[in-house]
Amino acid sequence: MAKHAVLSSGAKMWRCLPCVKSELRLDLTLACGQSFRWRETAEGHWTGVMGGRVWTLTQTDDSLWYHVYKNQDNRGEECDRKRKAGVAFQVENKPEKRSRVAVKEEEKPVAVTIGQDTEEEEETLRDYFQLNVKLVDLYREWGAADPHFRRIADIFTGVRMLRQDPTECLFSFICTSNNHISRIQGMVERLCQTLGAPLCQLDQASYYNFPSLSALADNSVEACLRDLGFGYRARFLQQSAKQILDTHGLQWLEGLRSAPYLQARDALRTLPGVGTKVADCVCLMSLDKAAAVPIDTHVWQIAKRDYNYTSGTAQKSITDKLHRDIGDFFRKLWGPYAGWAQSVSVIDEYLSACFCHVSYGLSAITTECFHPL
DNA sequence: ACGTGACCTTT
DNA sequence: AAGGTCACG
């Protein structure tokens, strides 16, 4: 049976990009609640689905290593993927090839053609992690403007915003309402198992693509998801998918990437189960709206505690106006990438919450979390 | 515009 | 009570 790749064993083919840890910390970025589908399958090795393929990622001091599992998917997906990638490549022409094959001394070298597949995979990775955004520069700017940011910036380095698939992001975050991370992870996993196309099996784990809009829109889906423990969110998921297909079409979500932030957010809020918080998450994490600052109870507490934030009238719950005001407050403080800064500022709160509920895979994080210095 | 309660399920 | 949303007053 196929196994998860491990860099040190050299049994699988690995490639890498130059990438220092101040630009990207895989563990923090993949486990801080942006995406719910990455798992630490070996120490420092993260396996998940990206662009319809299964990947294992790991990093050394100056490199991001990746392995893409082949020999897995059905022909249709594969052809579709290549067609799309072909289009993307005409737009972005990359002359230099920085990837190379990892060959440890004690192993026999593996012959590899650095071809279109490599370029394409490298581009997928750069796009997903938004590596063109210089995080080190942003950290410096946020720190210069904000003493509280400086306090945690040295511990939680390399936390960057993923550029997720909008469909996966939207339907995952509809699951987050009134919920906690460990349960959300289980729900999203069951969602993919049940409605997504199978990709491959590694050790005891099966990997699936995220379900398509049409799969989610089917009338049978609500009952199905209720059986899987989605509760009242089951109806939101099915109805939102149906509403998108019926009134907008398949490309609508992607199209919101080129809409202004507030317009995209309002569009999302017309969907059932999507309020201000979820809409902001989708805007920030999949629609290129770096200024979107999702306001939840944690962020509100932090705003009050650390930033001495007080609304005019003492409020008990987070109203529309409070969303706007706190968002504007942080945008003024941190600038156009305020949403990115916010994900760093709240990370210790979220990881602590994780630690209460999740019993695996976070040892490295919790160690840093509870023994920062 | 703001406040309240219900909503599924698990800890 | 959990990383909210919706439907009411």
Side-chain angles (χ1 to χ4, degrees), chain A residues 116-177:
Chain A
Q116 192 182 338
D117 274 359
T118 305
E119 293 244 17
E120 190 185 314
E121 287 162 8
E122 186 172 322
E123 185 50 36
T124 300
L125 210 51
R126 288 183 183 286
D127 183 74
Y128 188 73
F129 286 103
Q130 316 204 58
L131 294 179
N132 58 322
V133 177
K134 294 293 294 173
L135 196 63
V136 173
D137 295 345
L138 289 173
Y139 266 58
R140 191 184 314 117
E141 290 168 26
W142 298 327
D146 177 6
H148 288 102
F149 188 90
R150 284 202 293 279
R151 184 166 52 81
I152 53 171
D154 292 338
I155 307 164
F156 298 109
T157 59
V159 180
R160 64 171 48 243
M161 200 48 58
L162 301 174
R163 187 171 194 252
Q164 300 186 62
D165 170 64
T167 302
E168 171 165 348
C169 190
L170 171 63
F171 289 89
S172 298
F173 275 89
I174 290 177
C175 299
T176 63
S177 77

Coordinates of all heavy atoms in Angstrom, one line a residue, chain A residues 116-177:
Chain A
Q116 N 6.9 20.5 -17.4 CA 5.8 21.4 -17.2 C 5.1 21.1 -15.8 O 4.6 22.0 -15.1 CB 4.7 21.3 -18.3 CG 3.7 22.4 -18.2 CD 2.7 22.3 -19.3 OE1 2.9 21.7 -20.3 NE2 1.5 22.9 -19.1
D117 N 5.1 19.8 -15.5 CA 4.5 19.4 -14.2 C 5.2 20.1 -13.0 O 4.5 20.6 -12.1 CB 4.6 17.9 -14.0 CG 3.5 17.1 -14.7 OD1 2.6 17.8 -15.2 OD2 3.5 15.9 -14.6
T118 N 6.5 20.2 -13.1 CA 7.2 20.8 -12.0 C 6.9 22.3 -11.9 O 6.6 22.8 -10.8 CB 8.8 20.7 -12.2 OG1 9.0 19.3 -12.4 CG2 9.5 21.3 -11.1
E119 N 6.9 23.0 -13.0 CA 6.6 24.4 -13.1 C 5.2 24.6 -12.5 O 5.0 25.6 -11.7 CB 6.6 24.9 -14.5 CG 8.0 24.9 -15.1 CD 8.5 26.3 -15.4 OE1 7.9 27.2 -14.9 OE2 9.4 26.4 -16.2
E120 N 4.3 23.8 -12.9 CA 2.9 23.9 -12.5 C 2.7 23.7 -11.0 O 2.0 24.4 -10.4 CB 2.2 22.8 -13.3 CG 0.7 22.8 -13.3 CD 0.2 21.6 -14.0 OE1 0.7 21.3 -15.2 OE2 -0.7 20.9 -13.5
E121 N 3.4 22.7 -10.5 CA 3.3 22.4 -9.1 C 3.9 23.5 -8.3 O 3.4 23.9 -7.3 CB 4.0 21.1 -8.8 CG 3.3 19.9 -9.3 CD 4.1 18.6 -9.4 OE1 5.3 18.6 -8.9 OE2 3.6 17.6 -9.9
E122 N 5.1 24.0 -8.7 CA 5.7 25.1 -8.0 C 4.8 26.3 -8.0 O 4.6 27.0 -7.0 CB 7.0 25.4 -8.7 CG 7.8 26.5 -8.0 CD 9.2 26.6 -8.6 OE1 9.8 25.6 -9.0 OE2 9.7 27.7 -8.7
E123 N 4.1 26.6 -9.1 CA 3.2 27.7 -9.2 C 2.0 27.5 -8.3 O 1.5 28.5 -7.7 CB 2.8 27.9 -10.7 CG 1.9 29.2 -10.9 CD 2.6 30.4 -10.3 OE1 3.8 30.6 -10.4 OE2 1.8 31.3 -9.8
T124 N 1.5 26.3 -8.2 CA 0.4 26.0 -7.3 C 0.7 26.4 -5.9 O 0.0 27.0 -5.2 CB 0.0 24.5 -7.4 OG1 -0.4 24.3 -8.8 CG2 -1.2 24.2 -6.5
L125 N 2.0 26.0 -5.5 CA 2.4 26.2 -4.2 C 2.6 27.7 -3.9 O 2.2 28.2 -2.9 CB 3.8 25.4 -4.0 CG 4.2 24.9 -2.7 CD1 3.1 24.1 -2.0 CD2 5.5 24.1 -2.9
R126 N 3.3 28.4 -4.8 CA 3.5 29.8 -4.6 C 2.1 30.5 -4.5 O 2.0 31.5 -3.8 CB 4.2 30.4 -5.8 CG 5.7 30.0 -5.9 CD 6.3 30.7 -7.1 NE 7.7 30.3 -7.2 CZ 8.7 30.7 -6.3 NH1 8.4 31.6 -5.4 NH2 9.9 30.2 -6.4
D127 N 1.2 30.1 -5.3 CA -0.1 30.7 -5.3 C -0.8 30.4 -4.0 O -1.4 31.4 -3.3 CB -0.9 30.2 -6.5 CG -2.3 30.9 -6.6 OD1 -2.4 32.0 -7.0 OD2 -3.3 30.2 -6.2
Y128 N -0.8 29.2 -3.5 CA -1.5 28.8 -2.3 C -1.0 29.5 -1.1 O -1.7 30.0 -0.2 CB -1.4 27.3 -2.1 CG -2.3 26.7 -1.0 CD1 -3.7 26.6 -1.2 CD2 -1.7 26.3 0.2 CE1 -4.5 26.1 -0.2 CE2 -2.5 25.7 1.2 CZ -3.9 25.7 1.0 OH -4.7 25.1 2.0
F129 N 0.3 29.6 -1.0 CA 1.0 30.3 0.1 C 1.2 31.8 -0.1 O 1.7 32.5 0.8 CB 2.3 29.6 0.5 CG 2.0 28.3 1.2 CD1 2.2 27.1 0.5 CD2 1.6 28.2 2.5 CE1 2.0 25.9 1.1 CE2 1.4 27.0 3.2 CZ 1.6 25.8 2.5
Q130 N 0.9 32.3 -1.3 CA 1.0 33.7 -1.6 C 2.4 34.2 -1.4 O 2.7 35.2 -0.7 CB 0.0 34.6 -0.9 CG -1.4 34.0 -0.9 CD -2.5 35.0 -0.7 OE1 -2.6 35.9 -1.4 NE2 -3.3 34.8 0.4
L131 N 3.4 33.4 -1.9 CA 4.8 33.6 -1.5 C 5.4 34.9 -2.1 O 6.4 35.4 -1.8 CB 5.7 32.4 -2.0 CG 5.4 31.1 -1.2 CD1 6.3 30.0 -1.7 CD2 5.6 31.3 0.3
N132 N 4.6 35.5 -3.0 CA 5.0 36.8 -3.6 C 4.9 37.9 -2.6 O 5.4 39.0 -2.7 CB 4.3 37.1 -4.9 CG 2.8 37.2 -4.6 OD1 2.3 36.3 -3.9 ND2 2.1 38.1 -5.2
V133 N 4.0 37.7 -1.5 CA 3.9 38.7 -0.5 C 5.0 38.5 0.5 O 5.2 37.5 1.1 CB 2.5 38.5 0.2 CG1 2.4 39.5 1.4 CG2 1.3 38.6 -0.7
K134 N 5.7 39.6 0.7 CA 6.9 39.6 1.6 C 6.5 39.8 3.1 O 6.3 40.9 3.6 CB 7.9 40.6 1.2 CG 8.5 40.4 -0.1 CD 9.4 39.2 -0.2 CE 10.6 39.3 0.7 NZ 11.4 38.1 0.8
L135 N 6.3 38.6 3.8 CA 5.8 38.7 5.1 C 6.7 39.4 6.1 O 6.3 40.1 7.0 CB 5.5 37.2 5.6 CG 4.7 37.1 6.8 CD1 3.3 37.6 6.6 CD2 4.6 35.6 7.3
V136 N 8.0 39.3 5.9 CA 9.0 39.9 6.8 C 8.8 41.4 6.8 O 8.8 42.1 7.8 CB 10.4 39.5 6.4 CG1 11.4 40.3 7.2 CG2 10.6 38.0 6.6
D137 N 8.5 42.0 5.6 CA 8.3 43.4 5.5 C 7.0 43.8 6.2 O 7.0 44.8 6.9 CB 8.2 43.8 4.0 CG 9.6 43.6 3.3 OD1 10.6 43.4 4.0 OD2 9.6 43.7 2.1
L138 N 6.0 43.0 6.0 CA 4.7 43.3 6.7 C 4.8 43.3 8.2 O 4.4 44.1 8.9 CB 3.6 42.3 6.2 CG 3.2 42.5 4.8 CD1 2.2 41.4 4.4 CD2 2.5 43.8 4.6
Y139 N 5.5 42.2 8.7 CA 5.7 42.1 10.2 C 6.4 43.4 10.7 O 6.1 43.9 11.8 CB 6.6 40.9 10.5 CG 5.8 39.6 10.9 CD1 4.9 39.1 10.0 CD2 6.0 39.0 12.1 CE1 4.2 37.9 10.3 CE2 5.3 37.8 12.4 CZ 4.4 37.3 11.5 OH 3.8 36.1 11.8
R140 N 7.4 43.9 9.9 CA 8.1 45.1 10.4 C 7.2 46.3 10.4 O 7.2 47.0 11.4 CB 9.3 45.4 9.4 CG 10.2 46.4 10.0 CD 11.3 46.8 9.0 NE 12.0 45.6 8.4 CZ 11.9 45.3 7.1 NH1 11.3 46.2 6.2 NH2 12.5 44.3 6.6
E141 N 6.3 46.4 9.4 CA 5.4 47.5 9.4 C 4.4 47.4 10.6 O 4.1 48.4 11.2 CB 4.7 47.6 8.1 CG 5.6 48.0 6.9 CD 4.9 47.8 5.6 OE1 3.7 47.8 5.5 OE2 5.7 47.6 4.6
W142 N 3.8 46.2 10.7 CA 2.8 46.0 11.8 C 3.5 46.3 13.2 O 2.9 46.9 14.0 CB 2.2 44.6 11.8 CG 1.5 44.3 10.5 CD1 0.8 45.2 9.7 CD2 1.4 43.0 9.9 NE1 0.2 44.5 8.7 CE2 0.6 43.2 8.7 CE3 1.9 41.8 10.2 CZ2 0.3 42.1 7.8 CZ3 1.6 40.7 9.3 CH2 0.8 40.9 8.2
G143 N 4.7 45.8 13.3 CA 5.4 46.0 14.6 C 5.7 47.5 14.9 O 5.6 47.9 16.0
A144 N 6.0 48.2 13.8 CA 6.3 49.6 14.0 C 5.1 50.4 14.5 O 5.2 51.4 15.2 CB 6.9 50.2 12.7
A145 N 3.9 49.9 14.1 CA 2.7 50.7 14.4 C 2.1 50.2 15.7 O 1.2 50.8 16.2 CB 1.7 50.5 13.2
D146 N 2.5 49.0 16.2 CA 1.7 48.4 17.2 C 2.6 47.6 18.2 O 3.1 46.5 17.9 CB 0.7 47.4 16.5 CG -0.1 46.6 17.5 OD1 0.0 46.9 18.7 OD2 -0.9 45.8 17.1
P147 N 2.7 48.1 19.4 CA 3.5 47.4 20.5 C 3.0 46.0 20.8 O 3.8 45.1 21.1 CB 3.3 48.3 21.7 CG 2.9 49.6 21.2 CD 2.2 49.4 19.9
H148 N 1.7 45.8 20.8 CA 1.1 44.5 21.1 C 1.5 43.5 20.0 O 1.8 42.3 20.3 CB -0.4 44.6 21.2 CG -0.9 45.2 22.4 ND1 -1.3 46.5 22.4 CD2 -0.9 44.8 23.7 CE1 -1.6 46.9 23.7 NE2 -1.4 45.8 24.5
F149 N 1.6 44.0 18.8 CA 2.0 43.1 17.7 C 3.5 42.7 18.0 O 3.9 41.5 17.8 CB 1.9 43.7 16.3 CG 2.2 42.7 15.2 CD1 1.1 41.9 14.7 CD2 3.5 42.6 14.7 CE1 1.4 41.0 13.7 CE2 3.7 41.7 13.7 CZ 2.7 40.9 13.2
R150 N 4.3 43.7 18.3 CA 5.7 43.4 18.6 C 5.9 42.3 19.6 O 6.8 41.5 19.6 CB 6.4 44.6 19.0 CG 6.7 45.6 17.9 CD 7.9 46.6 18.3 NE 7.5 47.5 19.4 CZ 6.8 48.6 19.3 NH1 6.4 48.9 18.1 NH2 6.6 49.4 20.3
R151 N 5.0 42.3 20.6 CA 5.1 41.4 21.7 C 5.0 39.9 21.3 O 5.7 39.0 21.8 CB 4.0 41.7 22.8 CG 4.1 40.9 24.0 CD 3.2 41.5 25.1 NE 1.8 41.8 24.6 CZ 0.8 40.8 24.5 NH1 1.1 39.6 24.9 NH2 -0.4 41.2 24.1
I152 N 4.2 39.7 20.3 CA 4.0 38.3 19.9 C 4.7 37.9 18.6 O 4.9 36.8 18.2 CB 2.5 37.9 19.7 CG1 1.9 38.9 18.8 CG2 1.9 37.8 21.1 CD1 0.5 38.5 18.5
A153 N 5.2 39.0 17.9 CA 5.7 38.7 16.5 C 7.0 37.9 16.5 O 7.2 37.1 15.6 CB 6.0 40.1 15.8
D154 N 7.8 37.9 17.6 CA 9.0 37.2 17.6 C 8.7 35.7 17.9 O 9.5 34.8 17.5 CB 9.9 37.7 18.7 CG 10.5 39.1 18.3 OD1 10.4 39.4 17.1 OD2 10.9 39.8 19.2
I155 N 7.6 35.4 18.5 CA 7.3 34.0 18.8 C 6.6 33.4 17.6 O 6.9 32.3 17.2 CB 6.3 33.9 20.0 CG1 6.9 34.7 21.2 CG2 6.0 32.5 20.4 CD1 5.9 35.0 22.3
F156 N 5.5 34.1 17.1 CA 4.7 33.5 16.1 C 5.2 34.2 14.7 O 4.5 35.0 14.2 CB 3.3 33.7 16.3 CG 2.8 33.0 17.6 CD1 2.5 33.7 18.7 CD2 2.7 31.7 17.6 CE1 2.1 33.1 19.9 CE2 2.3 31.0 18.7 CZ 2.0 31.7 19.9
T157 N 6.3 33.7 14.3 CA 6.8 34.2 13.0 C 6.2 33.4 11.8 O 5.7 32.2 12.1 CB 8.3 34.1 12.9 OG1 8.7 32.7 13.1 CG2 9.0 35.0 13.9
G158 N 6.2 33.9 10.6 CA 5.9 33.1 9.5 C 4.4 32.7 9.4 O 4.1 31.7 8.7
V159 N 3.5 33.4 10.0 CA 2.1 33.1 9.9 C 1.5 33.9 8.7 O 1.4 35.1 8.8 CB 1.3 33.5 11.2 CG1 -0.2 33.1 11.0 CG2 1.9 32.8 12.4
R160 N 1.2 33.2 7.7 CA 0.7 33.9 6.5 C -0.6 33.4 6.0 O -1.1 32.3 6.4 CB 1.7 33.8 5.3 CG 2.0 32.5 4.8 CD 2.8 32.5 3.5 NE 4.0 33.3 3.5 CZ 4.2 34.4 2.8 NH1 3.2 34.8 1.9 NH2 5.3 35.1 2.8
M161 N -1.3 34.2 5.3 CA -2.7 33.9 4.9 C -2.6 32.9 3.7 O -1.8 33.2 2.8 CB -3.4 35.2 4.5 CG -4.9 35.1 4.4 SD -5.6 34.4 5.8 CE -5.0 35.5 7.1
L162 N -3.3 31.9 3.7 CA -3.4 31.0 2.6 C -4.4 31.6 1.5 O -5.3 32.4 1.9 CB -4.0 29.6 3.0 CG -3.2 28.9 4.1 CD1 -4.0 27.6 4.5 CD2 -1.8 28.5 3.5
R163 N -4.2 31.3 0.3 CA -5.1 31.6 -0.8 C -5.9 30.4 -1.1 O -5.5 29.6 -2.0 CB -4.4 32.2 -2.0 CG -5.3 32.8 -3.0 CD -4.6 33.5 -4.1 NE -5.4 34.4 -4.9 CZ -5.7 34.1 -6.2 NH1 -5.2 33.0 -6.8 NH2 -6.5 34.9 -6.9
Q164 N -7.0 30.2 -0.4 CA -7.7 28.9 -0.6 C -8.7 28.9 -1.7 O -9.1 30.0 -2.2 CB -8.5 28.6 0.7 CG -7.6 28.5 1.9 CD -8.4 28.0 3.2 OE1 -9.0 26.9 3.2 NE2 -8.4 28.9 4.2
D165 N -9.1 27.7 -2.1 CA -10.2 27.6 -3.1 C -11.5 28.2 -2.5 O -11.9 27.9 -1.4 CB -10.4 26.2 -3.4 CG -11.7 26.0 -4.2 OD1 -11.7 26.5 -5.4 OD2 -12.6 25.3 -3.7
P166 N -12.2 29.2 -3.2 CA -13.3 29.8 -2.6 C -14.5 28.9 -2.2 O -15.1 29.1 -1.2 CB -13.8 30.8 -3.7 CG -12.5 31.0 -4.5 CD -11.8 29.7 -4.5
T167 N -14.7 27.9 -3.0 CA -15.8 26.9 -2.6 C -15.5 26.2 -1.3 O -16.3 26.2 -0.4 CB -16.0 25.9 -3.8 OG1 -16.3 26.6 -5.0 CG2 -17.1 25.0 -3.4
E168 N -14.2 25.7 -1.2 CA -13.9 25.0 0.0 C -13.9 25.9 1.2 O -14.4 25.6 2.3 CB -12.4 24.4 -0.1 CG -11.9 23.9 1.2 CD -10.7 23.0 1.0 OE1 -10.4 22.6 -0.1 OE2 -10.1 22.7 2.1
C169 N -13.4 27.1 1.0 CA -13.4 28.1 2.1 C -14.8 28.4 2.5 O -15.1 28.4 3.7 CB -12.6 29.3 1.6 SG -12.3 30.5 2.9
L170 N -15.7 28.8 1.6 CA -17.0 29.2 2.0 C -17.8 28.1 2.7 O -18.3 28.3 3.8 CB -17.8 29.5 0.7 CG -19.3 29.7 0.9 CD1 -19.6 30.9 1.8 CD2 -20.0 29.9 -0.5
F171 N -17.8 26.9 2.2 CA -18.6 25.8 2.8 C -17.9 25.3 4.1 O -18.6 24.8 4.9 CB -18.8 24.7 1.7 CG -19.8 25.2 0.7 CD1 -19.4 25.8 -0.5 CD2 -21.2 25.1 0.9 CE1 -20.3 26.3 -1.4 CE2 -22.1 25.5 0.0 CZ -21.7 26.2 -1.2
S172 N -16.6 25.4 4.2 CA -16.0 25.0 5.5 C -16.4 26.0 6.5 O -16.7 25.6 7.7 CB -14.5 25.0 5.3 OG -14.1 24.0 4.4
F173 N -16.4 27.3 6.2 CA -16.7 28.3 7.2 C -18.2 28.4 7.6 O -18.5 28.9 8.7 CB -16.0 29.7 6.8 CG -14.6 29.7 7.3 CD1 -13.6 29.3 6.4 CD2 -14.3 30.1 8.5 CE1 -12.3 29.3 6.8 CE2 -12.9 30.1 9.0 CZ -11.9 29.7 8.1
I174 N -19.0 28.0 6.7 CA -20.4 27.9 7.1 C -20.5 26.9 8.2 O -21.4 27.0 9.1 CB -21.3 27.4 5.9 CG1 -21.4 28.6 4.9 CG2 -22.7 27.0 6.3 CD1 -22.2 28.3 3.6
C175 N -19.6 25.9 8.3 CA -19.7 24.9 9.4 C -19.2 25.5 10.7 O -19.3 24.8 11.7 CB -18.8 23.7 9.0 SG -19.3 22.8 7.5
T176 N -18.5 26.6 10.7 CA -17.9 27.1 11.9 C -18.8 27.8 12.9 O -18.4 28.1 14.0 CB -16.7 28.1 11.6 OG1 -17.3 29.2 11.0 CG2 -15.7 27.4 10.7
S177 N -20.0 28.1 12.5 CA -20.9 28.9 13.4 C -21.2 28.1 14.7 O -21.5 26.9 14.6 CB -22.1 29.3 12.7 OG -23.0 28.2 12.6

